[in-house]
Amino acid sequence: MENTADIMKRLGLKYGNFDEMEKIRIYLEYHPEVFTEDFMELLADRYLNYLTVRKRIKEMWPELCRQNINNFNIIPNDYEKIKEKVFKNRKP
């Protein structure tokens, strides 16, 4: 069984260019036997539960709004009144 350093040498990758998450990703990519049923249940329980996903969305939301504010259609509270006014003044 190869370790991460051997795999990276075989692929021609330099060890110093990777952070810890990248090393873990490469290891898991080349060792599919790690993904047992128990491990996958643990991952799903820890990272795919409602509170974790909700927390991540709350963290990302301000940045998404800042980047994409021009792409959002903001509907005013009095939308129905505006709609009636526009359609009332429209000629057939």
Side-chain angles (χ1 to χ4, degrees):
M1 186 184 244
E2 290 181 294
N3 63 22
T4 305
D6 293 335
I7 293 169
M8 291 167 60
K9 285 178 187 174
R10 184 168 42 89
L11 294 175
L13 305 171
K14 293 187 178 178
Y15 190 76
N17 294 337
F18 292 96
D19 61 354
E20 290 300 314
M21 291 302 290
E22 188 67 14
K23 291 182 224 173
I24 292 169
R25 185 192 66 76
I26 288 174
Y27 178 82
L28 292 175
E29 186 176 322
Y30 286 94
H31 295 88
E33 67 275 3
V34 171
F35 295 104
T36 63
E37 194 69 31
D38 293 336
F39 180 64
M40 295 307 289
E41 286 179 18
L42 175 70
L43 286 178
D45 185 49
R46 183 168 293 174
Y47 296 108
L48 296 178
N49 63 37
Y50 172 77
L51 294 176
T52 305
V53 172
R54 188 170 185 269
K55 180 182 173 189
R56 183 71 176 134
I57 290 171
K58 285 176 78 174
E59 291 171 357
M60 292 171 57
W61 185 253
E63 183 65 23
L64 288 172
C65 288
R66 191 180 62 72
Q67 289 176 352
N68 301 311
I69 196 68
N70 294 331
N71 297 332
F72 286 109
N73 293 325
I74 300 171
I75 300 172
N77 292 338
D78 54 351
Y79 174 72
E80 291 298 325
K81 292 177 187 174
I82 294 171
K83 181 180 166 187
E84 288 174 15
K85 185 177 176 183
V86 169
F87 283 112
K88 187 186 235 182
N89 295 333
R90 190 181 261 179
K91 295 179 182 178

